[in-house]
């Protein structure tokens, strides 16, 4: 087996940072549509957020993913690339051998499983911060409301301020109130989303890049990477929407009260209260957001990998 190639992790970190900057505003809209109430359609959600919170509302919770999703992407791309090379080395005796479809599926699934370990807490904190759309009710002056607050399991003091003051306070609050398991709330749904999701992310990208890139070229051009990455992202995020809805609801649950007991309960309650259409809520913004976000991710990855390797090797992930 060849040695672990750290360049993939570094390039994944750079690509991840680029994707957060490009995709976070629409990610906020997606989260509000899936886990919030009263937003209606995508356009109405955008207008509501802007009217109530100005442009700042679209970047709520961005500092944490900017620092952490870069690490998350680094691990995901690094694991995928090194797993793919390991499989090629074992099957063909050459780590640079063109991978078969089955090789890409296994490498994508491994990346999806590993990603949840880091991505679960990252997504949880991001969503909790994004969902702080309403301040607490000031109930100290209204004794009758104190009983109501207790009955709906408001676990924070009613201070008139949002539940969390920032990422660090959010993490410490969750650990204090829900324990370590609270940090991985929604991890089951995320696993069901990301394992097939990464298959529909890396595989279309790999084949599209090979199809678009002219024969004889060592590596794809930036335009080829942008197009292939964008299409792969739109496919992956669009098809992942049903389980993404469940994950978002589970992770947003707990900001002020707990409504769902787990994945099955969330699916059941969501279906009975809103019908099947709830599982495609946000699919448009998911697919639209997926294109530029993934295009920036793959372009940042490929260009960084070229620079790190001195442009001497093909840079398919």
């Amino acid at each position: 087996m060849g040695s672990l190639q750290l360049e993939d992790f570094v390039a994944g970190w750079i690509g991840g940072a680029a994707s957060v900057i490009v995709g976070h505003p629409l990610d906020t809209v997606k989260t509000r549509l899936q886990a919030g109430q009263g937003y209606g359609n995508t356009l109405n959600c955008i207008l509501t957020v802007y009217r109530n919170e100005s442009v700042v509302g679209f970047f709520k919770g961005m500092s944490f993913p900017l620092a952490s999703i870069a690490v998350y992407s680094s691990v995901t791309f690094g694991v995928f690339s090194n797993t793919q090379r390991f499989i090629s080395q074992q099957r063909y005796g050459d780590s640079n051998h063109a991978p078969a479809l089955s090789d890409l599926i296994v490498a994508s699934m491994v990346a999806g499983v590993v990603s949840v370990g880091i991505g679960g807490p990252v997504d949880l904190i991001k969503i909790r911060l994004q969902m702080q759309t309403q301040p607490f009710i000031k109930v100290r002056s209204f004794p009758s409301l104190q009983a109501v607050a207790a009955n709906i399991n408001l676990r924070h003091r009613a201070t008139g301020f949002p539940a969390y003051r920032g990422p660090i306070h959010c993490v410490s609050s969750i650990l204090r109130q829900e324990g370590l398991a609270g940090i991985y709330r929604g991890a089951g749904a995320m696993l069901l989303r990301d394992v097939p999701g990464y298959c529909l992310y890396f595989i279309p990208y790999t084949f599209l890049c090979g199809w678009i890139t002219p024969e004889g070229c060592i590596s794809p051009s930036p335009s080829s990477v942008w197009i292939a990455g964008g299409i792969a992202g739109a496919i992956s995020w669009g098809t992942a929407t049903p389980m993404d809805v469940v994950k978002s609801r589970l992770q947003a649950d707990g900001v002020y009260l707990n409504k769902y007991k787990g994945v099955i309960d969330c699916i059941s309650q969501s279906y009975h209260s809103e019908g099947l259409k709830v599982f495609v809520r946000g699919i448009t913004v998911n697919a639209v957001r997926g294109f530029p976000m993934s295009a920036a991710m793959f372009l940042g990855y490929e260009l960084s990998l070229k620079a790190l390797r001195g442009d001497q090797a093909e840079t398919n992930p």
Side-chain angles (χ1 to χ4, degrees), residues 6-311:
L6 298 179
E7 298 99 324
D8 294 295
F9 293 92
V10 177
W13 185 88
I14 295 171
S19 72
V20 172
I21 294 169
V22 171
H24 193 80
L26 282 177
D27 185 65
T28 297
V29 175
K30 183 266 298 183
T31 300
R32 298 286 182 88
L33 282 170
Q34 292 179 342
Q37 297 293 330
Y39 289 107
N41 56 40
T42 302
L43 180 59
N44 184 59
C45 182
I46 293 172
L47 293 174
T48 301
V49 173
Y50 178 75
R51 185 167 55 247
N52 295 339
E53 305 167 60
S54 77
V55 175
V56 177
F58 295 102
F59 294 91
K60 193 166 283 184
M62 182 175 170
S63 60
F64 184 74
L66 186 59
S68 54
I69 286 181
V71 177
Y72 164 61
S73 298
S74 169
V75 172
T76 302
F77 272 70
V79 168
F80 173 81
S81 301
N82 282 280
T83 301
Q84 178 190 305
R85 278 192 291 270
F86 172 75
I87 294 171
S88 295
Q89 181 67 41
Q90 298 302 308
R91 290 190 65 181
Y92 315 112
D94 179 9
S95 61
N96 293 318
H97 189 280
L101 177 60
S102 59
D103 303 337
L104 293 172
I105 291 173
V106 172
S108 299
M109 292 177 69
V110 171
V113 171
V114 173
S115 72
V116 174
I118 297 175
V122 169
D123 258 18
L124 177 73
I125 306 306
K126 173 177 67 68
I127 285 176
R128 290 285 178 94
L129 293 173
Q130 286 174 327
M131 289 304 296
Q132 295 189 110
T133 57
Q134 299 294 328
F136 286 123
I137 303 169
K138 294 183 178 180
V139 301
R140 283 179 179 153
S141 302
F142 303 93
S144 61
L145 290 181
Q146 292 176 358
V148 175
N151 287 336
I152 64 174
N153 195 26
L154 279 176
R155 296 167 305 160
H156 305 275
R157 292 183 177 180
T159 60
F161 297 101
Y164 311 115
R165 294 190 293 272
I168 303 301
H169 181 248
C170 183
V171 172
S172 63
S173 297
I174 293 171
L175 286 172
R176 185 174 61 255
Q177 295 155 4
E178 304 174 49
L180 187 60
I183 291 292
Y184 283 94
R185 185 175 182 83
M190 190 173 185
L191 194 65
L192 293 172
R193 183 199 71 174
D194 284 2
V195 171
Y198 275 116
C199 289
L200 293 172
Y201 188 63
F202 287 117
I203 294 172
Y205 172 76
T206 301
F207 284 114
L208 282 169
C209 256
W211 181 59
I212 297 172
T213 303
E215 210 171 314
C217 290
I218 296 176
S219 61
S221 66
S223 59
S224 298
V225 171
W226 180 267
I227 293 169
I231 293 173
I235 292 171
S236 178
W237 278 106
T239 54
T241 298
M243 198 50 63
D244 190 47
V245 170
V246 177
K247 180 200 73 72
S248 293
R249 291 188 166 208
L250 282 169
Q251 292 184 324
D253 194 35
V255 177
Y256 299 114
L257 55 91
N258 282 329
K259 182 180 179 182
Y260 307 115
K261 298 175 184 176
V263 174
I264 301 300
D265 183 52
C266 181
I267 293 172
S268 177
Q269 286 196 48
S270 298
Y271 172 72
H272 283 107
S273 62
E274 300 170 72
L276 280 174
K277 67 181 183 296
V278 69
F279 299 109
V280 293
R281 183 173 290 173
I283 189 170
T284 301
V285 71
N286 241 353
V288 170
R289 174 189 73 113
F291 190 100
M293 188 174 175
S294 297
M297 172 76 238
F298 277 106
L299 186 61
Y301 173 84
E302 295 282 9
L303 294 179
S304 301
L305 204 54
K306 278 186 180 182
L308 291 167
R309 291 179 177 175
D311 202 15

